[in-house]
Amino acid sequence: MASITLEGITKTYSGDVRAVKGVDLQIEDGEFVVLVGPSGCGKSTLLRMVAGLETITDGTLKIGDRVVNKLEPAERDIAMVFQNYALYPHMTVYNNLAYGLKNRGFKKDDIEKRVRVAAQMLEIEAFLDRKPRKLSGGQRQRVAMGRALVRDPAAFLFDEPLSNLDAKLRVQMRVEIKQLQRRLKTTSLYVTHDQLEAMTLGDRLVVLNAGQIEQVGTPMEIYARP
Ligand code: ADP
Ligand code: ADP
């Protein structure tokens, strides 16, 4: 894992839409940072810039000591967990986990080992031969996380991963993500508009408003002020 550093990160969309305005933020190695704020404040744009899915208009992005502004998503060594799971419906769970590794030219033995380890950590070994449609929402979520985990990436990005789940499952998944985080110590940037989710999961919260950082602090510091 590695740290993520944002220095003056800015995004201006065409039509002079200033979505993110000079954000400075350091996410330490192994830290779980939650980016929280109302719809339209620029969370998704910021996350997508870190992922390399959106160009950075201005500023510097570093993974560890490496400036990655210009690198393609695949070169950044960052894994993204999406809201809609983005699993391949025609593939088994095993092949959903293995697919990205096969594409990157990993050896078969190594792939099998990585899939086993990730499946064990996420307790999805029993479903490896099933197709995603045979899984519950929570199980699909774990497969989506497993797909990121097998790569042993420098950092994890989460884009509102729980927002499609029902309330009960969302609570359960929050707990699972938290436990997983404690065990794996992944450097993570997690986007949500849900304050409860932010409080439960974040080591540190970053409150974004109109493209700028409004507050940074622990959940206690932000939500338990007298
Ligand atoms: P959030 O994730 O917090 O809801 P977004 O990052 O999606 O916020 O959006 C931030 C701002 O940028 C909004 O005003 C939105 O309308 C605008 N925006 C997002 N994507 C685009 C785009 N592709 N082109 C132009 N404007 C965009
Ligand atoms: P395809 O549909 O692409 O033919 P397969 O289901 O045959 O995919 O699996 C592709 C590779 O993944 C094979 O080499 C197979 O041995 C391996 N594989 C698939 N499922 C498992 C599993 N549950 N445990 C270990 N290896 C598996």
Side-chain angles (χ1 to χ4, degrees):
M1 293 286 153
S3 60
I4 304 177
T5 310
L6 287 73
E7 295 168 359
I9 291 292
T10 297
K11 177 68 184 187
T12 309
Y13 286 113
S14 61
D16 206 26
V17 179
R18 299 177 63 212
V20 176
K21 306 167 189 167
V23 165
D24 295 313
L25 178 66
Q26 166 107 21
I27 304 167
E28 304 298 341
D29 191 346
E31 188 183 26
F32 198 107
V33 170
V34 177
L35 192 60
V36 64
S39 179
C41 73
K43 303 181 297 294
S44 170
T45 299
L46 191 62
L47 195 79
R48 291 168 59 79
M49 283 193 284
V50 176
L53 301 173
E54 198 75 72
T55 57
I56 297 170
T57 308
D58 204 3
T60 304
L61 174 70
K62 291 183 196 159
I63 313 279
D65 295 330
R66 206 161 59 118
V67 175
V68 300
N69 283 41
K70 300 271 186 266
L71 291 183
E72 294 294 316
E75 297 170 285
R76 291 184 184 207
D77 195 20
I78 277 182
M80 188 130 169
V81 181
F82 293 96
Q83 173 181 96
N84 56 5
Y85 316 120
L87 299 178
Y88 303 113
H90 58 289
M91 290 185 196
T92 62
V93 168
Y94 181 94
N95 283 320
N96 264 281
L97 295 182
Y99 184 74
L101 298 175
K102 282 181 194 165
N103 276 352
R104 288 179 174 79
F106 283 78
K107 298 238 155 54
K108 192 171 180 247
D109 287 357
D110 192 19
I111 293 175
E112 277 198 29
K113 197 168 125 209
R114 283 166 179 263
V115 171
R116 292 264 159 248
V117 170
Q120 200 174 10
M121 281 176 164
L122 292 162
E123 296 177 345
I124 53 173
E125 300 121 299
F127 320 131
L128 282 176
D129 295 326
R130 286 191 207 164
K131 300 269 173 74
R133 76 183 132 78
K134 301 274 187 186
L135 303 178
S136 71
Q139 290 165 348
R140 286 180 207 178
Q141 180 64 44
R142 280 191 247 168
V143 176
M145 290 182 60
R147 236 177 20 182
L149 199 60
V150 287
R151 284 171 45 198
D152 191 19
F156 274 69
L157 304 179
F158 296 88
D159 191 4
E160 306 236 10
L162 308 187
S163 58
N164 282 349
L165 306 181
D166 65 45
K168 191 171 158 222
L169 197 54
R170 205 175 320 140
V171 172
Q172 192 185 320
M173 288 309 299
R174 268 205 308 258
V175 174
E176 286 195 22
I177 292 174
K178 188 75 195 170
Q179 286 171 347
L180 204 63
Q181 166 63 8
R182 289 216 178 95
R183 236 183 310 156
L184 305 178
K185 294 267 177 277
T186 54
T187 307
S188 302
L189 181 59
Y190 186 106
V191 162
T192 183
H193 63 271
D194 182 331
Q195 292 193 355
L196 197 58
E197 203 170 298
M199 280 176 66
T200 316
L201 290 175
D203 295 327
R204 208 151 52 104
L205 310 189
V206 174
V207 182
L208 204 63
N209 197 1
Q212 288 177 308
I213 293 182
E214 195 172 67
Q215 287 185 78
V216 181
T218 62
M220 283 295 276
E221 285 167 349
I222 289 187
Y223 291 118
R225 287 222 171 95

